[in-house]
Amino acid sequence: MVKTGKLRSGSGSKLKRWKKGHSSDSNPQTSRFRQAAKSRFFSRPSEKSDLTLDALKLHNELQAGPLELSAGGRKDACMEEEPDQALSDRTSGTFLSGLSDCSNLTFRKVQRFWESNSAAHKEICAVLAAVTEVIRSQGGKETETEYFAALMTTLEVVDSAESQAAVAYLLNLVMKRVPAPVLMSKFSDTTKALMDVMSKQATSETASSLRWILSCLATLLRKQDASVWTYPSTLQAYHGLLSFTVHNKPKVRKAAQQGVCSIVRGSDFLFTDKAPTHHPAAVTTAKFCIKEMEQAGGSKEDTTTLHVLGLLKELMGTFPLGAVKSCCETLLRVMTLSHVLVTASAMQAFHRLFTGKPNASTLSPELNAQIITALYDYLPSENDLQPLLAWLAVMEKAHVHLANLQSTLSLGHLPRLFSAAMSCLLSPHAQVVSAATNTLKTLLTECVAPRMEEMGIITATASAGNPSSVCKMFRIVEEGLSYRFHASWPFVLQVLGCFYRVAGKQAHAIMTKSLQSLADLRSTPQFPFSGELDLAVGGAVESMGPEVVLAAVPLNITGYDDDLEFPRSWLVPVIRDHVKNTNLGFFNSYFQPLASTLKQRAEELEESGQKLEAKVYQTLQLQIWTMLPGFCTCPVDLLVSFKGIARALGMAINERPDLRLIVCQALRTIINKSCSTEEEKAEVGRFSKNFLPILFNVYSQQPAAGESGTYRMAVLDTIKVYLTVTEAQMINTFLQKATERLNSTESNEFTRLSMMDLMVAMAPFLDEVTMTKTFELIRPYLQTKEPGMQKKAYRVLEEMCGGEQDDCRSFVVANLETLKVVLLETLKNASSPAKRPRLKCLINIVKRLGEEHKDFITALLPEVIVCTKEVSVGARKNAYNLLVEIGNAFVRFCGDRKDAMEQYLLLVYAGLTGSVTMITCTVLALTRLVFEYKDSIEVATMKQLLHNVCLLMGARTREIVKAALGFIKVILFIMDPKTLASHITVMMEGIGSIKDDVRRHFRTKLKNIFTKFMRKFGFELVKSMLPAEHHKVLANIRKAEARTKRRKQTTEQQDDSESEEEAPKTKSESIEDILADSDSDLSEDEGKGGNAQKKAGKQQKGRAWLKEGAEDDPLNFLDAKVSQRVLATNPGLKKSAKVEHGFKVTSDGRLIIKEEEEDVQDKDDGEMKDILEEAGVKSKKTQKRKFKDDNFDDDMDVEPQLKYKAGGSGIHRPLGGSRDTGADYKSKKGKGDVKKQGKLDPYAYIPLKKAQLNRRKRAKLQGQFKGMVKGAQKGALSGKKMQKKKRKA
């Protein structure tokens, strides 16, 4: 039962009151859990379920517990039990003895929400306690079946309505869990008993138990077998349930409707293997609904019709075909009543029918098509916003469903809907225009697109069938380019673009004219929708290909005698952004020669001194080349066309520095996105012998002085990508040549570094033998004193050790001993830049080591620990990762994680006895290991570790203390409060021992740590453990925390306070949302008073308006479109647009403007990031110094202000004069001001400063203001004179 209770007196005025009709505005928009529950109710899982008997038993044991009383009920319960204390033990427990220890979980709901103030609930508890006692006295096990039998017996003998309601409620709970065979065997007796109670309650006024009886009857009928539905008694019981679906009491009606829905849609036999297609009672239900609606007729209130429509909305998709047809005919008849709510509910029923996607046995294609045709008679007026939106939504779903059933029939009906939707684009309502656009796009993608392949090429001469329908639809959409649609051109262009994408490949022949129209529109001066038009033409480029588009709309660029305005040059960026899946050969045959001609023309003009024209042609040919990556994205003729363009691409890389980036991008695109088959890879790889030498030469050439070398990274990336499709033998040949140039005495340092980069790129693709030779070759460079060469040598080794290929793994295994010796030998000579790749090599090697290599790991450990303080971020990151990898290796060696960690930490402890740097690095290493292996470290080990680190806090060196504080920070994060409490004394002693100068230096870090301690253990405990010099900081922290807490509470209260503004309406997503507003616009005529409005409250919802004819035209009631003159909204009323300013308003109309505080989530993210940085998981990045003043934005980077800056007064005044803001608006060409885009208009603005409130400066400010006004008047006068002169001229 629902928890109820009374409010304290006087609290009603404090409650937030919703305005009428807005009580559900705060409901969540998403309901995925409810949707999931609904879908589970009417279906059964196909796969094996995890819901086993053992799982249920475990769940029952976990859920079993003592009786839970609500907070309000405990006091009253105690008060009732006090007088009974003197009586015997038996008497003291009679009221709730059966309830509190009831072991059946079915009644957990009663126990959990027990309320002593509710008489009905007391009665339920009393009945449950009594029934439980009876079952126990007879030696029962308190099963659902026993409770069912006992409660049925009780139901037949109780007299009072309250007891009957309590028994019915408990029976409703237990029957859902009674085994189906029990309900089947006792069906006759149970039905008779329930029907007797139902017939008595139907005539009584209270009917408190009626809804529970109806629910019980529904559960009983749902569990029966299909054969039972052949008996008249079953249908009689079901008819009894049906009759209550139109009851005048909402709760009873709702229970009956839910029961009927659960029977017709969710009966158990419908989910068996031999289930019938429809429930046996479906036809009976349909007849009942039709009969009720016909009997209700066109009565004034139509409440019965609305109730039946609500039921039909849920059930119509489960009826057989004949019943659905009869129901649809009745729905269409009641829609002629022009009752707004009835029409809206009928539309909801149709929408639910189509969205349910019933099969042909429920809704045949023919019936679907007939409904579509019939609904055109109910097309609302274009001024009727909500009904028109609903009509569009229903028609969209109807056509989509018809397309799924029979595509040919669907395509035949689409042109008429396209015509209706296009006429909606002329509506004055933006919502209607947007909805119509979305409907058209949905129909194109859902109904037309899947059938385009089977139609083949469509021509304008198509006279019948699907091609003819597509032609009609396109002509209707194309008509939207006429001037009468000019206000909706952005939406028309969207639909056109969608049509191009869907049908452009097959129907490009009929679309040529529209493309020419678009080109003409684009060339119109100041055409406002050029962005939308470009997207539409882009859709044509995607589907038809650039060749077809350019045949319809030529570029008109030849290189000679061109209009230098190039009116069609807008096509170049459109093609560049949208071309894909097209013929690469077209670029080779059309665009590449055109680019060469333009380049040649630019050179000629340059020579003749026409530099401006030369620049234009040069820019244009570069833009044409930018199309190349798009042409290389999944070309359809790669195998045929690549050989034709390969030579030109190679020459462009070699000879045209301005095209290198574009061509390299194109080559990478071809290999990464277009080589899907082995044949295509082989075709592109065939030219590696041509491309790779060119790329190698370009990369190894040193850029000339003053020339940018940015292209080299793109060339190197292209080399790496091209190597993936190159044969291994060829790569070995290239490597040999690179080695020769590396060892050549003629090579300079730049060339040798370039060769090393090429070797790094080729290393992962070598075979094992070549890798070994390469390793021997680079071995001397590992000890060279040139940091650059040494780093590159380690990079080669890193690529060979870390590659995923089998050859890389084999190389490491075969040369493991040699690698160990070499890496230990080169330890002393390793330069700082080489640390990052060296550590990466060690990570890859340690992953493959066994227990016999433990000594090697021990020898490496000091180097790894020291590298945690390296300058390079990458080196530090690799050092921390290697520490974790060594830990994983120890776990592999020992098997037991805790023993492994103990051995590992003993080796790391040795660093605490070294130099200051070594101690700092060791603490950093321990911090990372504790963070990573927190669950694998013994308590004693952790205690000893914490003790040692706390001792280091007394050191005089800041670096050591900084590392130790980072360790404490991580400990506070990872350790649970109980374990932390045992170590708090040691940590506080350590913090208290920090030297004064070090303490002052790290005051921010210490404050952060103290805050965390106080949140976990409280102010008093932390204060008692720290020396007196820290107490002032602690008091400050406590004040700050209290202030933050108060501010947060104030913010929450303000959020909950009543606001003047109504909640904004969310976007309508479903048919219910659309139709829910259909009666929200209804209001009384303006002449009536307030009392009349109140009296007319209920009739108001059903009102409708007739739209008179234009001027003196009388209204013709025999007109076929007369239904469009019946409006759900008053055409004489206009809604006042409310300005949304985004601020809250107080009761007296003042705006509440407050600074946005940092979100709690952001704060948590920042704290987590801080911890990860301390633990070495994330890299610490050096940040620029920022102002601490609150007046500046937190994310405003400010340069460090280390130099003295003049300020103050007298000789300390600021040297730079105040900047005149008006100078921004001054015209450069003549007098006066000019408007600037994105800035305020050039008026004289008076700044609102605090200084203006100063009374001593009032005279000065008044003078300034008067001068400003005089200046404005003078300017206006001169402007007026200028205008007069112009008029005379």
Side-chain angles (χ1 to χ4, degrees):
M1 288 181 68
V2 180
K3 184 175 181 179
T4 58
K6 292 182 180 178
L7 291 169
R8 200 180 301 166
S9 64
S11 62
S13 60
K14 299 176 186 176
L15 290 176
K16 184 173 180 180
R17 298 287 181 191
W18 291 101
K19 294 192 176 182
K20 189 174 181 183
H22 291 274
S23 58
S24 63
D25 282 1
S26 62
N27 284 357
Q29 294 303 306
T30 55
S31 54
R32 60 194 179 100
F33 297 110
R34 275 175 276 171
Q35 294 298 332
K38 284 180 184 176
S39 66
R40 296 279 294 179
F41 183 75
F42 295 114
S43 63
R44 295 292 185 267
S46 56
E47 69 276 0
K48 189 176 179 182
S49 174
D50 294 332
L51 189 63
T52 60
L53 289 172
D54 294 335
L56 278 174
K57 187 177 180 183
L58 177 62
H59 175 74
N60 292 345
E61 289 172 0
L62 290 172
Q63 290 294 318
L67 171 65
E68 297 174 12
L69 300 177
S70 64
R74 284 177 183 149
K75 184 178 176 184
D76 297 330
C78 295
M79 288 172 66
E80 286 184 16
E81 289 177 4
E82 277 175 9
D84 297 333
Q85 295 294 325
L87 302 175
S88 65
D89 293 338
R90 167 118 183 121
T91 318
S92 64
T94 51
F95 178 55
L96 288 175
S97 59
L99 171 65
S100 58
D101 55 353
C102 174
S103 61
N104 196 306
L105 290 176
T106 305
F107 306 107
R108 186 71 171 167
K109 190 176 180 182
V110 179
Q111 295 172 332
R112 188 178 296 152
F113 301 112
W114 185 72
E115 286 215 26
S116 61
N117 291 330
S118 170
H121 210 139
K122 275 185 178 179
E123 186 67 27
I124 290 170
C125 294
V127 171
L128 178 59
V131 170
T132 305
E133 286 296 314
V134 169
I135 291 172
R136 285 178 184 164
S137 65
Q138 295 180 0
K141 296 180 180 178
E142 298 185 45
T143 62
E144 285 84 0
T145 307
E146 291 170 338
Y147 273 105
F148 169 63
L151 287 168
M152 283 304 299
T153 307
T154 311
L155 185 66
E156 293 172 359
V157 296
V158 291
D159 295 327
S160 67
E162 293 79 9
S163 301
Q164 203 170 52
V167 174
Y169 173 72
L170 293 171
L171 196 58
N172 165 57
L173 287 180
V174 80
M175 279 183 72
K176 292 172 183 174
R177 300 183 66 171
V178 173
V182 176
L183 293 179
M184 288 179 184
S185 62
K186 295 293 179 183
F187 172 66
S188 179
D189 298 337
T190 310
T191 308
K192 185 176 181 301
L194 292 175
M195 290 292 285
D196 289 344
V197 177
M198 198 164 69
S199 59
K200 290 175 185 175
Q201 287 285 324
T203 54
S204 68
E205 292 182 1
T206 56
S208 54
S209 62
L210 191 54
R211 61 174 173 148
W212 308 122
I213 294 292
L214 291 171
S215 182
C216 293
L217 185 59
T219 306
L220 182 67
L221 289 169
R222 189 158 56 87
K223 297 288 183 183
Q224 301 309 310
D225 201 9
S227 58
V228 176
W229 286 91
T230 57
Y231 305 146
S233 58
T234 310
L235 291 174
Q236 185 184 356
Y238 181 70
H239 274 291
L241 181 62
L242 263 180
S243 63
F244 285 98
T245 56
V246 290
H247 199 272
N248 57 352
K249 290 188 177 178
K251 289 183 178 178
V252 175
R253 183 172 65 249
K254 185 179 178 182
Q257 290 196 359
Q258 285 180 343
V260 169
C261 290
S262 67
I263 292 167
V264 177
R265 294 175 62 188
S267 290
D268 287 358
F269 65 83
L270 291 175
F271 302 100
T272 57
D273 295 333
K274 296 181 180 179
T277 52
H278 305 284
H279 195 281
V283 177
T284 306
T285 311
K287 288 178 180 176
F288 170 82
C289 293
I290 293 167
K291 180 185 172 186
E292 288 292 329
M293 282 194 286
E294 286 176 348
Q295 285 179 352
S299 60
K300 200 170 186 182
E301 289 299 327
D302 285 329
T303 49
T304 304
T305 306
L306 289 172
H307 297 158
V308 175
L309 286 172
L311 182 63
L312 269 181
K313 183 172 68 175
E314 300 294 331
L315 291 181
M316 205 151 67
T318 62
F319 292 165
L321 180 59
V324 171
K325 187 173 182 180
S326 303
C327 287
C328 290
E329 289 169 355
T330 308
L331 286 179
L332 292 169
R333 278 203 299 275
V334 298
M335 284 172 70
T336 58
L337 299 174
S338 298
H339 188 286
V340 175
L341 293 180
V342 170
T343 306
S345 298
M347 292 297 269
Q348 285 182 1
F350 279 125
H351 188 271
R352 183 67 67 89
L353 174 66
F354 293 125
T355 51
K357 296 180 180 178
N359 53 30
S361 63
T362 295
L363 184 63
S364 65
E366 292 75 19
L367 178 57
N368 194 331
Q370 287 169 5
I371 295 170
I372 288 172
T373 307
L375 283 174
Y376 281 107
D377 296 334
Y378 302 93
L379 174 63
S381 166
E382 63 181 16
N383 295 318
D384 235 356
L385 177 62
Q386 296 299 339
L388 188 53
L389 292 176
W391 187 87
L392 284 170
V394 171
M395 293 299 274
E396 176 192 315
K397 296 296 179 186
H399 282 81
V400 170
H401 185 254
L402 182 57
N404 293 330
L405 291 175
Q406 192 173 334
S407 59
T408 308
L409 194 57
S410 165
L411 287 168
H413 279 77
L414 278 176
R416 188 176 179 186
L417 181 57
F418 265 64
S419 180
M422 284 300 292
S423 65
C424 290
L425 294 183
L426 298 169
S427 170
H429 297 291
Q431 282 176 278
V432 172
V433 176
S434 178
T437 307
N438 291 330
T439 298
L440 288 171
K441 291 198 288 187
T442 304
L443 292 172
L444 284 170
T445 52
E446 299 277 338
C447 305
V448 181
R451 277 83 198 173
M452 288 309 299
E453 288 291 337
E454 62 196 41
M455 288 188 210
I457 300 299
I458 298 174
T459 60
T461 56
S463 58
N466 292 344
S468 172
S469 301
V470 173
C471 290
K472 287 178 186 174
M473 284 185 273
F474 188 76
R475 287 194 197 101
I476 292 166
V477 175
E478 192 179 12
E479 193 185 337
L481 294 176
S482 59
Y483 187 72
R484 69 191 185 106
F485 286 92
H486 74 279
S488 302
W489 270 346
F491 299 96
V492 174
L493 291 170
Q494 283 184 40
V495 179
L496 260 180
C498 185
F499 217 130
Y500 288 148
R501 286 182 178 86
V502 165
K505 191 175 180 181
Q506 288 82 12
H508 56 80
I510 64 171
M511 298 177 173
T512 309
K513 185 183 172 186
S514 65
L515 285 171
Q516 292 166 352
S517 303
L518 291 180
D520 294 339
L521 275 177
R522 186 69 165 71
S523 60
T524 309
Q526 297 179 339
F527 181 66
F529 311 118
S530 55
E532 289 86 349
L533 192 146
D534 288 352
L535 285 173
V537 177
V541 171
E542 281 181 28
S543 59
M544 304 178 198
E547 192 171 357
V548 175
V549 173
L550 290 175
V553 188
L555 267 179
N556 294 335
I557 299 172
T558 59
Y560 297 95
D561 301 326
D562 288 324
D563 178 4
L564 290 179
E565 290 291 329
F566 297 115
R568 294 277 175 85
S569 60
W570 58 271
L571 278 168
V572 175
V574 169
I575 294 173
R576 178 196 66 205
D577 294 339
H578 295 92
V579 65
K580 59 183 178 182
N581 301 324
T582 189
N583 293 314
L584 182 58
F586 181 63
F587 184 89
N588 196 25
S589 62
Y590 178 75
F591 283 112
Q592 194 217 333
L594 178 59
S596 302
T597 307
L598 295 177
K599 171 72 174 169
Q600 186 180 347
R601 180 68 175 149
E603 290 170 356
E604 291 172 4
L605 290 169
E606 184 79 30
E607 289 172 5
S608 62
Q610 298 176 330
K611 292 187 177 180
L612 183 61
E613 290 85 349
K615 184 67 177 174
V616 171
Y617 276 110
Q618 180 70 17
T619 306
L620 198 55
Q621 65 93 20
L622 276 175
Q623 284 188 338
I624 288 173
W625 272 103
T626 57
M627 297 181 194
L628 180 60
F631 275 92
C632 292
T633 305
C634 306
V636 294
D637 60 342
L638 180 64
L639 293 172
V640 180
S641 300
F642 186 69
K643 59 188 175 189
I645 202 172
R647 185 170 180 275
L649 297 184
M651 290 174 64
I653 294 172
N654 204 16
E655 299 170 5
R656 298 280 303 275
D658 55 336
L659 297 181
R660 277 177 191 158
L661 291 174
I662 296 169
V663 176
C664 285
Q665 183 190 351
L667 285 174
R668 292 197 301 273
T669 305
I670 281 182
I671 297 167
N672 289 331
K673 296 184 178 179
S674 309
C675 292
S676 53
T677 63
E678 291 300 323
E679 292 84 2
E680 289 171 338
K681 288 179 182 177
E683 175 66 20
V684 177
R686 193 162 62 89
F687 292 90
S688 58
K689 64 179 181 294
N690 306 103
F691 279 110
L692 285 176
I694 296 172
L695 293 168
F696 287 163
N697 289 335
V698 170
Y699 185 75
S700 58
Q701 285 172 4
Q702 189 166 1
E707 185 183 340
S708 173
T710 51
Y711 65 87
R712 295 182 75 245
M713 284 308 297
V715 171
L716 187 60
D717 286 342
T718 310
I719 289 169
K720 289 177 181 175
V721 171
Y722 220 120
L723 286 168
T724 59
V725 293
T726 308
E727 294 178 358
Q729 186 61 40
M730 194 170 290
I731 296 174
N732 292 340
T733 308
F734 289 137
L735 182 72
Q736 191 175 353
K737 289 181 180 178
T739 307
E740 290 171 3
R741 287 193 67 182
L742 178 66
N743 295 327
S744 173
T745 53
E746 298 175 2
S747 300
N748 57 14
E749 185 183 0
F750 180 85
T751 306
R752 285 187 296 144
L753 287 172
S754 300
M755 290 303 110
M756 276 297 226
D757 283 334
L758 296 176
M759 289 176 70
V760 171
M762 288 186 275
F765 303 101
L766 303 174
D767 53 40
E768 187 186 339
V769 177
T770 315
M771 279 187 187
T772 308
K773 290 178 183 176
T774 309
F775 174 52
E776 293 299 329
L777 172 72
I778 64 164
R779 191 168 173 177
Y781 292 105
L782 296 174
Q783 295 183 334
T784 184
K785 291 185 179 179
E786 296 178 44
M789 289 300 292
Q790 191 186 67
K791 181 182 177 181
K792 303 285 185 191
Y794 274 114
R795 284 282 294 115
V796 175
L797 189 58
E798 177 193 340
E799 290 294 333
M800 291 194 295
C801 292
E804 295 296 324
Q805 289 86 348
D806 293 335
D807 287 321
C808 295
R809 295 194 183 96
S810 306
F811 163 74
V812 175
V813 174
N815 299 278
L816 192 55
E817 294 301 325
T818 315
L819 285 168
K820 281 166 54 181
V821 172
V822 169
L823 288 170
L824 287 176
E825 281 176 358
T826 55
L827 172 57
K828 293 179 182 178
N829 299 322
S831 62
S832 184
K835 291 285 187 185
R836 190 194 66 77
R838 175 182 166 82
L839 289 166
K840 192 70 176 174
C841 289
L842 289 169
I843 289 172
N844 292 320
I845 290 168
V846 167
K847 284 180 180 177
R848 294 180 171 85
L849 292 180
E851 192 171 359
E852 64 276 9
H853 302 287
K854 206 171 187 178
D855 296 338
F856 173 65
I857 292 177
T858 310
L860 283 178
L861 204 51
E863 179 200 359
V864 182
I865 291 172
V866 171
C867 284
T868 56
K869 285 286 286 181
E870 270 294 330
V871 179
S872 164
V873 174
R876 291 201 302 272
K877 185 179 177 183
N878 283 348
Y880 283 122
N881 289 341
L882 183 50
L883 282 168
V884 174
E885 204 54 57
I886 291 173
N888 293 338
F890 270 93
V891 172
R892 284 203 308 272
F893 301 159
C894 298
D896 183 42
R897 291 177 70 88
K898 294 192 174 180
D899 292 344
M901 281 302 105
E902 199 159 347
Q903 290 180 28
Y904 186 21
L905 290 175
L906 281 173
L907 293 174
V908 179
Y909 285 156
L912 294 175
T913 59
S915 62
V916 171
T917 307
M918 192 65 190
I919 293 171
T920 308
C921 295
T922 305
V923 175
L924 291 173
L926 288 168
T927 305
R928 177 59 193 270
L929 292 173
V930 166
F931 181 82
E932 196 71 35
Y933 297 104
K934 52 184 176 287
D935 300 324
S936 305
I937 300 174
E938 293 280 0
V939 178
T941 311
M942 184 66 85
K943 186 177 180 181
Q944 181 191 358
L945 176 58
L946 199 55
H947 183 71
N948 290 336
V949 173
C950 288
L951 285 176
L952 293 173
M953 287 192 198
R956 293 187 177 278
T957 315
R958 288 177 180 176
E959 287 298 315
I960 294 176
V961 178
K962 183 181 179 182
L965 287 173
F967 182 85
I968 294 294
K969 217 172 182 180
V970 171
I971 287 290
L972 277 168
F973 178 74
I974 64 171
M975 203 175 273
D976 63 283
K978 288 183 181 178
T979 315
L980 196 61
S982 60
H983 301 302
I984 189 170
T985 310
V986 179
M987 287 191 277
M988 288 301 178
E989 286 175 2
I991 292 171
S993 66
I994 297 175
K995 301 290 184 288
D996 287 348
D997 63 325
V998 180
R999 176 168 55 83
R1000 280 193 295 273
H1001 185 75
F1002 293 120
R1003 57 186 178 276
T1004 310
K1005 273 185 175 293
L1006 282 169
K1007 190 174 181 181
N1008 193 347
I1009 290 170
F1010 289 153
T1011 305
K1012 287 179 169 59
F1013 270 118
M1014 285 170 63
R1015 284 175 185 167
K1016 288 179 184 289
F1017 301 107
F1019 171 75
E1020 295 298 334
L1021 179 64
V1022 176
K1023 184 180 177 183
S1024 64
M1025 291 186 168
L1026 284 172
E1029 58 263 25
H1030 292 286
H1031 290 179
K1032 194 172 181 182
V1033 179
L1034 295 177
N1036 179 267
I1037 293 169
R1038 182 169 65 169
K1039 285 181 184 176
E1041 289 284 296
R1043 194 184 306 120
T1044 307
K1045 189 176 179 182
R1046 282 197 305 273
R1047 195 178 294 160
K1048 188 178 176 183
Q1049 288 174 349
T1050 308
T1051 308
E1052 288 174 356
Q1053 287 171 5
Q1054 286 177 351
D1055 289 343
D1056 294 339
S1057 66
E1058 180 70 23
S1059 175
E1060 286 286 311
E1061 291 182 330
E1062 294 180 8
K1065 287 188 180 180
T1066 55
K1067 184 184 175 188
S1068 297
E1069 292 179 356
S1070 63
I1071 187 77
E1072 284 82 2
D1073 297 334
I1074 293 171
L1075 290 167
D1077 295 333
S1078 61
D1079 62 316
S1080 64
D1081 303 334
L1082 307 179
S1083 63
E1084 284 289 335
D1085 293 340
E1086 292 175 5
K1088 293 188 179 180
N1091 293 334
Q1093 287 183 356
K1094 286 180 184 177
K1095 287 177 184 176
K1098 288 190 177 178
Q1099 289 105 358
Q1100 192 62 24
K1101 287 193 174 182
R1103 293 202 57 177
W1105 281 265
L1106 282 176
K1107 185 181 177 184
E1108 294 292 340
E1111 296 179 358
D1112 296 331
D1113 281 350
L1115 184 59
N1116 182 9
F1117 286 100
L1118 298 177
D1119 188 3
K1121 293 185 178 180
V1122 72
S1123 63
Q1124 295 186 17
R1125 298 295 188 105
V1126 182
L1127 306 182
T1129 52
N1130 188 345
L1133 287 181
K1134 292 183 179 178
K1135 288 188 178 180
S1136 59
K1138 213 169 191 177
V1139 179
E1140 295 288 339
H1141 44 64
F1143 297 113
K1144 292 188 175 180
V1145 185
T1146 58
S1147 56
D1148 56 356
R1150 290 175 297 161
L1151 294 177
I1152 302 171
I1153 304 173
K1154 57 180 180 177
E1155 293 181 4
E1156 292 185 11
E1157 293 184 4
E1158 196 172 4
D1159 197 19
V1160 179
Q1161 185 64 37
D1162 295 342
K1163 207 176 283 183
D1164 292 345
D1165 291 345
E1167 193 171 325
M1168 188 64 190
K1169 184 183 176 187
D1170 189 29
I1171 295 295
L1172 293 174
E1173 284 178 354
E1174 293 290 353
V1177 178
K1178 276 192 175 181
S1179 307
K1180 291 185 185 178
K1181 293 182 180 176
T1182 54
Q1183 295 177 339
K1184 292 181 180 178
R1185 208 185 267 186
K1186 295 180 182 178
F1187 275 122
K1188 298 297 179 188
D1189 193 351
D1190 291 339
N1191 295 331
F1192 288 87
D1193 286 334
D1194 291 335
D1195 55 355
M1196 187 194 295
D1197 285 340
V1198 183
E1199 291 294 333
Q1201 305 212 350
L1202 302 178
K1203 293 182 181 178
Y1204 168 73
K1205 212 172 189 180
S1209 59
I1211 61 170
H1212 302 289
R1213 71 191 181 283
L1215 301 178
S1218 61
R1219 187 166 169 272
D1220 183 13
T1221 52
D1224 293 345
Y1225 298 101
K1226 195 168 184 182
S1227 175
K1228 294 177 183 177
K1229 295 180 180 177
K1231 288 184 178 181
D1233 295 330
V1234 291
K1235 286 192 177 189
K1236 293 287 184 82
Q1237 191 173 1
K1239 289 191 174 184
L1240 300 169
D1241 285 347
Y1243 299 127
Y1245 292 98
I1246 303 170
L1248 298 174
K1249 294 179 182 175
K1250 194 176 179 183
Q1252 290 176 343
L1253 299 174
N1254 194 327
R1255 283 178 292 180
R1256 290 183 289 111
K1257 297 180 182 179
R1258 186 177 292 172
K1260 181 183 175 183
L1261 292 167
Q1262 283 176 350
Q1264 284 179 354
F1265 181 70
K1266 286 175 183 175
M1268 205 179 286
V1269 173
K1270 281 181 184 176
Q1273 288 172 343
K1274 189 178 176 183
L1277 193 63
S1278 64
K1280 198 173 181 182
K1281 288 178 181 176
M1282 290 284 288
Q1283 290 289 339
K1284 283 182 180 177
K1285 285 179 184 178
K1286 283 182 183 177
R1287 286 197 203 100
K1288 287 177 183 178

